[in-house]
Amino acid sequence: IMMKKIFTLLLLVFCLTMQAQIQRTIAGCTLGSSMSEVKSILKKNGFKIEYVDNETLSFQMSTFDGMKTESVKFCFYNDKLYDVDIFFKASTEESEMQSEFLKINEYLNSKYGNYIMHTDNNDIISYKDEQTMCYLRKFSQKVNEELSIYLFFIGCFDNALMNQKQKDEKDDYWFFK
């Protein structure tokens, strides 16, 4: 009976210290995959690639973890998927966008709250584990004097590949330092 209690206690402690890692696979494609692997996976999963060059490809995706989305952009460095941006529907109504932004922020906090790294007046919220950073970012673009478009996206990147890209390009600025 004593061994059973000790085992149960150890199992409980182990379970409490386990944390879900930040998601590294989007649309079946994992950060670090080559462009040819990504194209093949997207085709197999029924996604139609809309734009492609040596460093970027984009496609339509209607949902991400049950949330409505507009599109996804994959970015490559040295033929490796290092950055994924998932775009949500833009709005001309700031309050509508803010409401959606808060819902997604709540979702990410419930999933990755133990990894919170940075907040910037609620315009950028980031989460980081040993391999991956995920962030939610909102911004607006002025169309004309009376009209602005409000939008937001979830970004996710491989820490090692992003660090290598910055080092190679001698880019010492990044908003998550």
Side-chain angles (χ1 to χ4, degrees), residues 95-140:
S95 62
E96 177 186 324
M97 189 277 308
Q98 183 65 21
S99 172
E100 285 297 307
F101 180 85
L102 290 173
K103 271 195 272 186
I104 292 171
N105 180 33
E106 209 172 280
Y107 167 78
L108 290 174
N109 268 324
S110 72
K111 197 169 178 179
Y112 304 132
N114 293 333
Y115 296 108
I116 195 151
M117 181 186 140
H118 175 87
T119 61
D120 179 12
N121 297 329
N122 293 321
D123 291 337
I124 300 172
I125 298 117
S126 63
Y127 309 86
K128 184 177 181 181
D129 67 17
E130 290 185 21
Q131 292 184 295
T132 312
M133 178 175 282
C134 174
Y135 59 96
L136 177 61
R137 182 172 186 205
K138 71 177 177 181
F139 55 96
S140 63

Side-chain angles (χ1 to χ4, degrees), residues 22-165:
I22 294 176
Q23 187 170 340
R24 295 179 55 80
T25 301
I26 287 89
C29 303
T30 303
L31 291 169
S33 300
S34 71
M35 185 176 283
S36 62
E37 290 170 327
V38 167
K39 285 179 181 177
S40 174
I41 291 167
L42 290 175
K43 185 176 180 180
K44 187 178 99 177
N45 290 337
F47 291 104
K48 182 181 176 220
I49 297 172
E50 296 180 339
Y51 174 81
V52 65
D53 64 23
N54 289 335
E55 298 177 347
T56 312
L57 68 82
S58 61
F59 59 96
Q60 295 292 311
M61 186 168 79
S62 59
T63 62
F64 171 71
D65 279 0
M67 299 174 286
K68 288 187 174 211
T69 60
E70 289 281 306
S71 63
V72 177
K73 181 174 82 171
F74 283 175
C75 300
F76 296 83
Y77 181 68
N78 288 338
D79 193 45
K80 298 286 182 203
L81 177 60
Y82 81 95
D83 184 24
V84 176
D85 294 325
I86 303 164
F87 293 91
F88 294 83
K89 188 174 189 292
S91 174
T92 56
E93 298 295 322
E94 186 175 12
S95 62
E96 177 186 324
M97 189 277 308
Q98 183 65 21
S99 172
E100 285 297 307
F101 180 85
L102 290 173
K103 271 195 272 186
I104 292 171
N105 180 33
E106 209 172 280
Y107 167 78
L108 290 174
N109 268 324
S110 72
K111 197 169 178 179
Y112 304 132
N114 293 333
Y115 296 108
I116 195 151
M117 181 186 140
H118 175 87
T119 61
D120 179 12
N121 297 329
N122 293 321
D123 291 337
I124 300 172
I125 298 117
S126 63
Y127 309 86
K128 184 177 181 181
D129 67 17
E130 290 185 21
Q131 292 184 295
T132 312
M133 178 175 282
C134 174
Y135 59 96
L136 177 61
R137 182 172 186 205
K138 71 177 177 181
F139 55 96
S140 63
Q141 292 179 317
K142 245 186 178 348
V143 176
N144 58 41
E145 287 301 313
E146 293 96 37
L147 184 65
S148 291
I149 295 176
Y150 302 92
L151 48 122
F152 61 96
F153 67 95
I154 291 176
C156 186
F157 62 80
D158 181 284
N159 295 332
L161 289 170
M162 177 61 82
N163 289 339
Q164 187 61 52
K165 181 179 187 299

